[in-house]
Amino acid sequence: MNETILITYTSYSGTTAEIAEAISKTLTATGAHVELLPMQDVKSLSPYSAVVIGSPIRASKWSPDAIKFIQNHRSELLQKRVATFTVCITLAMSNGERYRQAVAGWIAPVRALVRPVSEGLFAGRLDFSKLPFNWDTVKLRAVVALGIFPREDRRDWKAVQAWTESIHPLLAQ
Ligand SMILES: Cc1cc2nc3c(=O)[nH]c(=O)nc-3n(C[C@H](O)[C@H](O)[C@H](O)COP(=O)(O)O)c2cc1C
C-alpha cells in the first residue's frame, strides 16, 4: 500500500504556499512520505493515501480554484483521508481568536463536499508587494492603515507545526 501524503494548495500571493511548505517539512520530520504540489500540478490522486488541501480566504470564501479542485476529485477524496487548512488575515488580527468560529464557518462549502479529519485555521499575511494595485487591495490597505489588519507577518509557525503533528496520526490511520 502506498502511504504518500499529498500536500496541495492554491495561493495568490505566496503565504499559503509557505505554510504548505512548513506542513510538508513537519510531516517529513515526523516520518511521513510527503509530496508537495500546487493544485494546478496535481494530475491524479491515485498515488496518495491521504491529502492535505490548503486555500487562502478571499471575501470570506475559499479560493474558487481550490473548490473546483475538490469538486473535480471529490469521489477519490471521499475514499481517502483528507485534512484542510485555511489561511486568512482575520486570525492575524490582535483579537483574531475571537473570530475563529466565524472563520470555521467559511469552510462550510468545503465540508459539504468532503469529510476532513481535521481543519487547520491559520493567520495569514497581507503582502502588498505581491498583490496587484486595485480597488480590493486599496480597501485592504485602508484597513491596515486603520490598524485593524496587521502590516507585519504574524503567521504562527508554532500553531502550524502543532496542527501538523496532530494530523499525522489521523492521516496515517
Ligand atoms: C482581495 C483579498 C481579499 C481578502 N479577503 C479576506 C477575507 O474576506 N477574510 C480574511 O480573513 N482574509 C482575507 N484576505 C487575506 C488573505 O486571506 C491573506 O492575505 C492570505 O494570507 C493570503 O494568502 P495567499 O498569499 O496564499 O494568497 C484577503 C486578501 C485579499 C488580497
Side-chain angles (χ1 to χ4, degrees):
M1 193 164 123
N2 196 325
E3 289 296 335
T4 303
I5 300 171
L6 172 68
I7 301 160
T8 190
Y9 60 90
T10 184
S11 183
Y12 298 100
S13 59
T15 63
T16 306
E18 287 166 2
I19 290 176
E21 242 168 77
I23 291 169
S24 171
K25 280 190 187 140
T26 299
L27 277 178
T28 303
T30 53
H33 188 251
V34 163
E35 216 170 303
L36 173 68
L37 285 176
M39 271 168 207
Q40 68 269 19
D41 292 350
V42 177
K43 303 285 176 258
S44 157
L45 294 185
S46 45
Y48 310 110
S49 56
V51 186
V52 180
I53 308 171
S55 172
I57 290 287
R58 278 206 170 179
S60 309
K61 288 189 171 76
W62 256 37
S63 135
D65 286 347
I67 296 287
K68 198 174 284 171
F69 176 88
I70 291 188
Q71 285 167 337
N72 289 344
H73 295 282
R74 185 170 180 232
S75 52
E76 269 193 284
L77 288 169
L78 286 168
Q79 306 299 319
K80 296 177 195 284
R81 293 169 295 271
V82 171
T84 63
F85 68 96
T86 298
V87 179
C88 70
I89 201 63
T90 299
L91 292 173
M93 290 161 58
S94 43
N95 60 353
E97 283 307 312
R98 193 184 290 181
Y99 300 102
R100 186 165 282 273
Q101 215 178 325
V103 171
W106 298 342
I107 304 143
V110 177
R111 239 173 266 136
L113 293 167
V114 287
R115 294 185 290 268
V117 295
S118 183
E119 295 174 348
L121 304 177
F122 302 123
R125 179 188 180 198
L126 285 167
D127 185 350
F128 291 111
S129 72
K130 294 190 183 143
L131 288 166
F133 191 83
N134 59 29
W135 179 234
D136 284 336
T137 57
V138 165
K139 282 189 285 183
L140 287 169
R141 281 171 192 266
V143 182
V144 170
L146 289 168
I148 297 167
F149 289 157
R151 195 177 298 278
E152 70 280 9
D153 187 355
R154 284 202 198 150
R155 282 174 293 174
D156 184 345
W157 299 107
K158 281 194 180 146
V160 173
Q161 184 175 345
W163 179 76
T164 306
E165 286 167 355
S166 79
I167 60 167
H168 186 196
L170 302 175
L171 294 176
Q173 262 166 23

